[in-house]
Structure formats: structure tokens, C-alpha cells
Amino acid sequence: MKLKKVLSSAFCLLFICGCSHDDGNKQATNTKAEISLINADKNRIRSHLTFLADDLLKGRDTGSVGHEIASLYIASEFEKYGLMPAGDNDIYMQRVPFVQSTIDQNSIHLSLSSVTNTHNLSYPKEFLTRASVLNENTEMAGKLIFVGYGIIAPELDHNDYAGLDVAGKVVVVLSGKPKSFPSEEGAHFGSTREKQRHAAENGAVGYITISTPRGEKVRPYQNLLNYIHTPSVSWLDEDGMAANVYPELKGSAYFSKEAAELLFVGTEKSLEDIYVMLEQDQSPKGFDIPLTVNMTAESQHKIISSPNVVAILEGSDPLLKKEYVVYSAHSDHIGIAKTVKKDKINNGAMDNATGTSVLLETARLFSELADKPKRSILFVAVTAEEKGLLGSDYFAQNPTVPQSSLVANVNLDMPILTYEFADVIAFGANHSDMQESVTIAAEKIGLTLSPDPWPDQALFTRSDHYSFVKQGIPSVFLVPGLKSVDPEVDGSKQFNLFLKTNYHKPGDDLNQTFNWQAATKFAEVNFYIGMTLANQSQRSSWNVGDFFGDNFSK
């Protein structure tokens, strides 16, 4: 999972309450008397996890042999369960093409020029940049213009480009979003992809980000230095072009506070003036900066591929079987660590061998049903989540079944299976009638659905389910809740312990203490969620007036 770091300070918070519901028109799939017929097998889940997190797979990095082995294992399990292959050309694999770009650290140069002099910035002390997935030779040059947060959000009556002419210029953009923005909607508007889209559409030729005091607390500039050797990756469309990038923007950079201060010397507002406005939740208006920037860099491109693994359990209803409930879990991790320590393998046991193992056990439970669900079930083990949700984004935009037939997505990413939980959290459930469906399913095994305990972290926008959301598909991101069956165990502390000690580290291996009762319970609740969604009379739908439904539904 790519986004868990933002949670580390929040896991000590605990907001637990039950969610009441009215069954309404939803049709429950099984009675309580039938529950005993559905039993997940802890030994199977443990077996999957043991294989997927083994040193042999060397951290399952996207495009690596280790991830190919993991994908073959997943495909063989799908075949064992009798599921139909739903990848490319009647096989289980949907092969995703990627461009992987690595920057030459010695080739990076950036200068700021005024009428009287030129100042060369020091890389990486004063600025950072990434390898371009579009061009091996980067040349970004132009006059500078400050555009505030660089956000256009009509729904929030916000337009940082109003009255500004940025055509042919390099925009200077504050990181983040105004404090007053709603958390999840704000995460969308404040994302780099959205900001760069607006910059390109308004005629900008380059993009420079400057941090804010609030941003520095979350992601200190010094910490970003750990990632300067990380390649840039993008999936390729059918024309071989990198997706979700903007060729109009010839380059981008991220400035330290010291470098950012140089931009505002002699301008109508200093950087400190701007920071004061941000603390008061004011959005500074843009203005021209009397400097030009010139940046050059060289990158090396490599074409790689990595598979999504896709399988179908066909539904039983002649009409509804043409609709699909989608389970997703990412099978990749981050590979080999750059460390002097003896253990360099990031095994990714909790992230996300747990989610993938539960997906496989959920698929087995469905395959052994005598009476299949009415709608079909689509199981997708996606690649490249750790590269920016790329595998799920590729599948959601290039599904192997008609996109309009995808009715709901349940995403499984990094369930912490170290304690037996008494509730579940479904991030994003409040945006659609999936909240009712998940509640009904959870109650079948004595669980409650608890609300998002960290709404300020906007987790609804931060894992593979969001790729489906952006295609208009109601989705939830399901994790074990923070309420433990054992009153002596604090679930929030268990989450926090993992993040502090093992998240994205070689310690995320099989030596951790797993609670296999939690694993079976998580598989069972996922099974019942799928059954509820697949058998209810109406396909899942967004709530009336919901921001994500209104903006992404097709």
C-alpha cells in the first residue's frame, strides 16, 4: 500500500460506534442458520501468505521475476478453483505495459535568472526532480508565475487561475490544499495529477512545487531525499504513450524552503507573507515572478511489463450474470531495500500478501457454493499499486469485461491481521448504498461496521479502489476495525506498531505475529459482502448528490 505513512500519527485515535441500518430494498443473501456452511480455512490463508512473502520472491517488485512467480501462483489457484480466466486472450493474465524511467543524477541542472544575474541551485540540497516518462532529455524553461495552490474547484468556488495568464510560463504551486476544503474532495482537487492537468490546460510549460509549513510536517523535505533514485513508472496506452501525464509540461521540480524563498525576493508578497496567509486559511492570489527558470536532465527509459491476474466466477441469473462485483488486492510490493543491513528483502507480508491471500480464500469459498450468486464475481490481483495505483488504473480504464458491467468494487489492501477484530471499516462506504450492503454482510458473522476513524486522512482516495471510483464505480476499501474481541488488546496500537516498525521495511515478513482467527474472519466477512452485493435486487449506486458519483459516473 502506497499511502499508509499519512496514518502513523493518526492510528492512536479511536472513534468507534455502531452503524444502524434499515434493510430497505436490499436482499440479504444468507440467513444466520446458513452461516455455519461458510468457513474460511486458516491453513489455506497461511499457506498463501507463506508463499507470497517468501524470500524467494524478493519483495515482488513490479516487473520482477518475483512478482511474475507470485502472479503465476495466483493464476494457478484461480484455475484450481474452476474460475474462468478473464485476462488477455482467454488466459488469467492481463499483461500491462510500462515505461520505467531512471534519471541520471549527474545530469540535473537548474538555474534561476533575473535581469542582472543567474543563480544555480544545488541538487538535491535545494531542489528535487523526477525522471521523465515522456522524454529522455528534459528541458524546462520559461518565465515564472505563482498560482497559489494551483487548484480549480468550481464546486468549492475556488479558481487559482482566475485572471492569470500562464501560457508559455512555468507555474509555481503551493503543495496541498486549503485547510477549509473537505477532506476527501480536497484530496482529489489537491492531487498532483489534478493540479498538473489544470496547469497544462491553461498553457503552462513547466511545474514547480513549493512546500508549506503544514506540508513540511507531513513530508519533510529531508525525507524526500530517500527516494531520489526511485524510477518513474507509467503504464502505456495502445499507442505506446505514457498515460496520465501531460506532454505540455516539459518538466517539474520540487523546491526546498530555502530555494522557494529565492523565488519571492522583491515580489509583491514574500514567502513568509504567503505562509502567514495559509495559517489563516487564506488562499493567496497569483502573480508574476520576475525570474526565468532553466532546468535540464537526462533519463534512461526501459519498457517492462507486469500482469494483473483476473478471474471470473459466473453468476447464476441469466440477466444479472452480465454484471460484475469486483474484488481487488494488489500483489506487488517494493522489492529490495537499499540498505547496509543484512536483510534487504521487503517481503510485503502484511502489505499486501495478507490482502491477496484473503482474496484467494474468498474466491475459493465462492467456487465451492452449490448455489452461485446471481451476479458474476470478478477477482483481480493487480500489479504496480506501489508505483501509484497503476495496475488498477490500467484495469479500470481497460477492463476485460464491459466497463458498464462493473457494479461495485471491494478492495483489500494491507489488512493488519495481528488481533481478532470485532468490527470492520469500509472507507468510502458513506458515499454510496454500499454502506448498507456492508453492514448487512458484517452482521452475518457478528461484526459491526464502524465509521472512518481518520476522515482527515482521506483514505478513500488512497488505494486501488480509487481507480474504480474514477471510472464511476461505487467502491469501498475494507480493513479490520480497531475494536478487538480481546479487551486487553488495543487495535489502534496494533496498527500503529506495524507502521512504526515494519511498514515498507524488511521487517514486514513472516516473523510477525499473525492471528489466523482474524484472517479467517476477514475472509468470511469479505465473502458475505460479495454475496450481498451480488444478490441484492439493485446494483450498487452512489448517494444522491455525492461529489464522487456526480463527477465520475458515466
Side-chain angles (χ1 to χ4, degrees):
M1 182 178 184
K2 189 177 179 61
L3 40 104
K4 281 74 87 182
K5 287 185 179 178
V6 298
L7 289 172
S8 58
S9 63
F11 279 126
C12 60
L13 302 177
L14 186 58
F15 299 95
I16 301 294
C17 65
C19 295
S20 63
H21 73 281
D22 176 0
D23 283 0
N25 294 323
K26 299 293 180 183
Q27 296 180 357
T29 57
N30 298 78
T31 67
K32 290 186 180 293
E34 296 174 284
I35 293 174
S36 61
L37 300 177
I38 303 301
N39 292 295
D41 187 337
K42 67 180 182 182
N43 293 321
R44 292 175 186 269
I45 298 173
R46 180 164 49 196
S47 175
H48 299 321
L49 184 58
T50 300
F51 183 88
L52 293 171
D54 191 86
D55 280 358
L56 174 69
L57 275 62
K58 296 184 178 180
R60 307 189 308 277
D61 197 9
T62 301
S64 71
V65 172
H67 184 259
E68 292 288 338
I69 294 171
S71 299
L72 283 170
Y73 177 83
I74 295 165
S76 69
E77 290 298 300
F78 285 157
E79 186 171 23
K80 185 189 301 182
Y81 306 150
L83 303 182
M84 296 167 50
D88 301 322
N89 302 317
D90 296 323
I91 62 173
Y92 290 99
M93 307 293 191
Q94 181 193 43
R95 186 61 59 176
V96 185
F98 296 99
V99 57
Q100 182 183 77
S101 182
T102 305
I103 201 164
D104 180 351
Q105 299 289 316
N106 296 318
S107 71
I108 303 168
H109 301 284
L110 188 148
S111 63
L112 298 173
S113 300
S114 66
V115 175
T116 57
N117 70 325
T118 296
H119 180 84
N120 293 311
L121 270 62
S122 174
Y123 173 86
K125 181 181 179 181
E126 294 182 298
F127 77 99
L128 302 172
T129 189
R130 299 193 65 196
S132 170
V133 294
L134 291 171
N135 303 297
E136 292 191 336
N137 296 306
T138 295
E139 295 184 9
M140 179 180 74
K143 294 180 179 179
L144 295 175
I145 183 169
F146 175 61
V147 295
Y149 285 106
I151 290 174
I152 298 178
E155 295 87 346
L156 301 176
D157 194 27
H158 187 106
N159 186 350
D160 283 321
Y161 284 89
L164 298 179
D165 179 9
V166 306
K169 300 176 184 177
V170 175
V171 294
V172 176
V173 181
L174 294 166
S175 66
K177 59 182 177 60
K179 289 190 290 186
S180 59
F181 273 26
S183 176
E184 292 174 340
E185 293 88 337
H188 167 73
F189 288 123
S191 66
T192 299
R193 183 182 296 182
E194 277 296 288
K195 290 186 178 186
Q196 290 190 343
R197 178 173 71 85
H198 293 310
E201 289 177 352
N202 279 274
V205 297
Y207 186 92
I208 293 173
T209 303
I210 57 175
S211 189
T212 65
R214 190 154 54 112
E216 189 66 16
K217 289 179 181 178
V218 176
R219 299 184 68 195
Y221 184 88
Q222 193 65 29
N223 289 0
L224 300 178
L225 298 177
N226 296 326
Y227 305 99
I228 63 175
H229 297 285
T230 303
S232 299
V233 182
S234 177
W235 61 264
L236 300 172
D237 64 20
E238 59 185 10
D239 297 320
M241 298 298 294
N244 304 318
V245 292
Y246 304 98
E248 299 89 349
L249 302 177
K250 304 305 180 184
S252 64
Y254 189 98
F255 278 20
S256 68
K257 181 178 183 294
E258 292 72 22
E261 288 174 342
L262 298 174
L263 298 176
F264 296 94
V265 174
T267 58
E268 59 185 72
K269 286 185 176 64
S270 69
L271 185 60
E272 289 305 316
D273 292 335
I274 292 170
Y275 283 172
V276 169
M277 293 182 68
L278 301 186
E279 288 304 308
Q280 299 171 350
D281 201 25
Q282 299 177 21
S283 295
K285 301 297 183 183
F287 51 81
D288 285 310
I289 295 174
L291 295 172
T292 59
V293 64
N294 190 289
M295 187 185 77
T296 57
E298 295 178 3
S299 302
Q300 292 77 46
H301 287 185
K302 179 182 179 181
I303 303 301
I304 64 172
S305 72
S306 185
N308 293 326
V309 188
V310 194
I312 292 173
L313 179 104
E314 188 175 40
S316 59
D317 186 273
L319 293 178
L320 293 182
K321 71 179 182 180
K322 298 177 183 179
E323 298 180 347
Y324 299 86
V325 174
V326 185
Y327 285 99
S328 59
H330 76 88
S331 56
D332 66 304
H333 195 53
I334 60 174
I336 306 297
K338 291 180 172 63
T339 177
V340 296
K341 295 181 180 180
K342 184 177 180 180
D343 186 1
K344 300 178 185 293
I345 299 175
N346 293 293
N347 301 83
M350 212 75 74
D351 183 18
N352 181 39
T354 52
T356 304
S357 298
V358 168
L359 179 140
L360 288 172
E361 180 63 0
T362 304
R364 184 189 70 83
L365 292 174
F366 272 105
S367 72
E368 295 185 357
L369 286 175
D371 297 321
K372 296 296 188 284
K374 294 179 180 179
R375 291 183 176 84
S376 297
I377 311 293
L378 189 67
F379 299 95
V380 190
V382 297
T383 185
E385 188 271 351
E386 302 289 0
K387 308 302 182 187
L389 317 183
L390 298 184
S392 59
D393 186 58
Y394 183 88
F395 181 84
Q397 293 196 48
N398 303 276
T400 54
V401 298
Q403 191 178 74
S404 61
S405 68
L406 303 177
V407 302
N409 168 241
V410 180
N411 185 50
L412 315 177
D413 189 358
M414 206 181 80
I416 305 299
L417 302 178
T418 58
Y419 61 97
E420 187 178 353
F421 54 93
D423 64 329
V424 290
I425 298 166
F427 298 108
N430 57 304
H431 293 283
S432 71
D433 61 7
M434 289 183 75
Q435 178 160 314
E436 181 183 355
S437 304
V438 174
T439 300
I440 292 171
E443 288 181 346
K444 291 183 183 297
I445 57 171
L447 298 174
T448 57
L449 174 63
S450 291
D452 181 352
W454 311 288
D456 58 316
Q457 302 299 332
L459 292 189
F460 181 54
T461 68
R462 296 178 182 270
S463 189
D464 285 311
H465 59 286
Y466 196 56
S467 297
F468 293 92
V469 170
K470 289 189 294 184
Q471 302 307 314
I473 301 161
S475 305
V476 294
F477 168 20
L478 194 79
V479 297
L482 303 183
K483 186 188 297 182
S484 173
V485 170
D486 184 348
E488 300 298 317
V489 175
D490 185 335
S492 64
K493 289 183 178 179
Q494 293 289 314
F495 271 88
N496 199 34
L497 178 64
F498 172 76
L499 291 179
K500 285 185 175 180
T501 57
N502 294 326
Y503 167 65
H504 276 200
K505 294 177 182 177
D508 183 12
D509 60 14
L510 296 170
N511 292 317
Q512 298 169 104
T513 301
F514 291 91
N515 184 303
W516 300 111
Q517 180 62 29
T520 58
K521 184 180 287 189
F522 195 59
E524 288 165 3
V525 71
N526 273 283
F527 167 84
Y528 281 114
I529 289 171
M531 282 293 287
T532 303
L533 294 169
N535 282 346
Q536 64 193 28
S537 56
Q538 300 297 319
R539 62 188 287 167
S540 300
S541 60
W542 296 97
N543 293 338
V544 176
D546 182 78
F547 169 82
F548 296 97
D550 290 348
N551 279 272
F552 294 129
S553 292
K554 297 181 178 180

